[in-house]
Amino acid sequence: MPAHAGVLDPWDYRYNDPKCWPKDYFEQDNILGRKGTCGGIAGNIFVPPTYPTTANILKDCASRVGRCTFIPKENFTFLSTPVKVSADQLPDCTGTPVNKTVDWTHRVGWTNTLREDSGSHWGVLKDIFSHSLRVNYGQTWVDSTTTKDASNLQLSPFHIGWWERSQQVRRVVGQWQISYADPHWGAKVWTTPDDTWDGPASSDTDGDLTAHERPMTGLEIYQLCLFSDA
């Protein structure tokens, strides 16, 4: 094979037939005006080799074109960054410390770093991922949790208070691997870059609830307290 002809990929019909080599390779066919033809095989046009994108691999995974697996490398839990889970403005306008019962809601969903590459195939891929988690770790993937409660919040005079909450999150890092019966893009096995999944660690909604407050500004005292008994 001429060095300038590139890598032969028998899977892609656009590439030169293996029977072409070692016949002459022409960078320019002056008769038909085509680039990259093989002498002796009419219409066999050479196309430079290509490689699958992450989207290609995930699409073939979901379509069952090849045998697809999710291979985990890391699996651990951590406490997420706290987020505000109650109303923005809970003022104490009384001039003395007060306790208020404050409702709060915390919903935690799941995220995935390669989701944009999957198109509309995440239903199938999530099933494959969940199966891998059960087989490798004996764990069940939790898509989302919602925790609601009403908790007693102590406020200082002329302060605004709120609740923040952290959730125990599970992180699984791994790669998608697809194995084809015949070469695709010149190989039978391809893998994606690392794919990181974050979701609730369990359906028990374990987390940490913390109270926060800050002094009100003069404008806030005017707007929230002047005509209020808060």
Side-chain angles (χ1 to χ4, degrees):
M1 180 186 301
H4 59 270
V7 179
L8 186 67
D9 186 346
W11 172 78
D12 195 325
Y13 70 91
R14 300 172 303 169
Y15 287 21
N16 291 313
D17 191 290
K19 293 181 292 184
C20 174
W21 314 111
K23 295 180 181 180
D24 294 334
Y25 173 83
F26 303 98
E27 288 195 6
Q28 177 67 41
D29 182 347
N30 293 323
I31 298 177
L32 299 177
R34 297 173 301 187
K35 291 185 177 180
T37 60
C38 293
I41 299 183
N44 209 359
I45 301 175
F46 176 80
V47 176
T50 58
Y51 302 92
T53 64
T54 298
N56 291 146
I57 295 174
L58 295 180
K59 179 181 178 181
D60 282 358
C61 274
S63 302
R64 311 291 188 180
V65 174
R67 181 178 179 273
C68 183
T69 55
F70 180 85
I71 304 174
K73 302 191 297 184
E74 298 179 64
N75 179 9
F76 58 92
T77 60
F78 63 95
L79 202 61
S80 66
T81 302
V83 295
K84 185 181 291 185
V85 292
S86 60
D88 289 336
Q89 294 183 334
L90 301 168
D92 173 13
C93 298
T94 65
T96 59
V98 297
N99 291 321
K100 289 192 174 186
T101 300
V102 179
D103 294 331
W104 57 267
T105 301
H106 190 195
R107 183 185 185 279
V108 179
W110 64 279
T111 61
N112 168 263
T113 55
L114 296 186
R115 191 167 184 174
E116 290 186 1
D117 293 294
S118 70
S120 60
H121 305 294
W122 269 114
V124 176
L125 295 173
K126 189 157 68 68
D127 289 343
I128 297 173
F129 167 79
S130 298
H131 175 74
S132 174
L133 194 64
R134 287 194 301 271
V135 170
N136 287 280
Y137 302 106
Q139 296 170 343
T140 301
W141 180 252
V142 180
D143 281 345
S144 66
T145 57
T146 300
T147 310
K148 297 180 180 181
D149 205 347
S151 303
N152 191 38
L153 181 64
Q154 184 172 0
L155 291 175
S156 302
F158 299 109
H159 278 62
I160 285 179
W162 66 92
W163 288 111
E164 291 187 1
R165 190 172 185 272
S166 301
Q167 172 82 31
Q168 283 290 332
V169 172
R170 179 172 305 284
R171 173 166 293 176
V172 182
V173 182
Q175 293 178 313
W176 294 93
Q177 182 182 89
I178 190 166
S179 302
Y180 298 102
D182 300 306
H184 283 52
W185 295 281
K188 290 187 177 182
V189 178
W190 290 98
T191 57
T192 66
D194 282 352
D195 191 11
T196 300
W197 292 65
D198 286 347
S202 71
S203 57
D204 295 334
T205 64
D206 295 330
D208 288 345
L209 185 69
T210 55
H212 296 265
E213 67 174 8
R214 64 167 177 81
M216 285 190 284
T217 66
L219 180 60
E220 286 173 332
I221 292 175
Y222 174 79
Q223 293 176 333
L224 300 176
C225 298
L226 187 59
F227 303 104
S228 171
D229 58 357

